[in-house]
Structures are given as structure tokens and as C-alpha cells.
């Protein structure tokens, strides 16, 4: 299994726009083959920090996700919402 953690710090005041943008990505990603779980969280006590935690069945499933139009659209659009480059960690389980 592949586990992906992605952290985002959203520009102040952009949270509603970011949440709309990311909700579509989450919905599409959950429907992809090989997706075990895909969840998006707002960090407690911090108004503009978010985390995505993804579980993929294997390397092929994760690569298929990275090759998807939805993933590419995400990376084309995310920079307008965030203050800093997202931090992404990929783990094997």
C-alpha cells in the first residue's frame, strides 16, 4: 500500500475558494481504481492549514492517479490558493 500525506497552507481569506477547489479533487480521487481512502482535513486550531491523507492499493494505483487529468488539474491550479509550496510525503506500508 502507498500512503501519501500532503500539507497545505492556504492564503488568508482564500479558504472558502480552496475548499471548493479541493472538494472536487477529493470526490474524483475517491472514485479512481486502486484508491483505498482519500480524505481532506482542516488542521485544528489553525485557520488556514490543511492535510490530505491518501491510501492507494499499490504503486500502479498511485501512478495511475498521478497520470489522471484530475491530478494534473490540481497541480496546475493549487498555487493560486496556497502561501507556500505544498509538502508531500509518500510512504510504503
Amino acid at each position: 500500500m502507498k500512503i501519501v500525506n500532503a500539507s497545505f497552507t492556504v492564503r488568508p481569506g482564500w479558504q472558502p475558494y480552496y475548499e471548493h477547489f479541493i472538494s472536487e479533487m477529493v470526490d474524483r480521487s475517491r472514485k479512481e481504481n486502486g484508491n483505498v481512502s482519500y480524505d481532506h482535513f482542516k488542521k485544528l486550531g489553525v485557520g488556514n492549514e490543511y492535510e490530505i491523507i491518501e491510501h492507494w492499493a499499490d504503486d500502479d494505483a498511485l501512478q495511475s492517479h498521478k497520470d489522471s487529468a484530475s491530478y494534473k488539474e490540481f497541480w496546475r491550479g493549487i498555487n493560486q490558493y496556497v502561501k507556500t509550496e505544498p509538502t508531500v510525503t509518500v510512504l510504503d506500508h
Side-chain angles (χ1 to χ4, degrees):
M1 180 178 300
K2 294 300 239 185
I3 301 169
V4 179
N5 291 354
S7 297
F8 306 91
T9 302
V10 175
R11 294 176 186 185
W14 283 73
Q15 294 91 326
Y17 309 108
Y18 165 78
E19 290 176 9
H20 176 74
F21 170 78
I22 201 67
S23 69
E24 294 174 2
M25 170 72 174
V26 170
D27 289 341
R28 289 189 301 257
S29 296
R30 286 178 175 163
K31 296 173 184 171
E32 291 180 29
N33 288 332
N35 178 260
V36 177
S37 68
Y38 198 104
D39 294 298
H40 181 259
F41 303 95
K42 187 172 188 176
K43 293 183 181 179
L44 292 175
V46 185
N48 65 333
E49 292 186 17
Y50 297 83
E51 184 92 14
I52 294 175
I53 301 175
E54 313 169 28
H55 293 87
W56 298 93
D58 52 30
D59 287 325
D60 291 338
L62 179 56
Q63 187 58 51
S64 179
H65 171 62
K66 289 180 177 181
D67 292 339
S68 73
S70 178
Y71 181 86
K72 292 173 184 174
E73 178 184 326
F74 168 79
W75 284 108
R76 279 192 303 271
I78 190 64
N79 286 330
Q80 67 182 322
Y81 302 102
V82 295
K83 282 177 49 172
T84 58
E85 188 73 23
T87 303
V88 179
T89 306
V90 180
L91 306 165
D92 290 307
H93 177 68

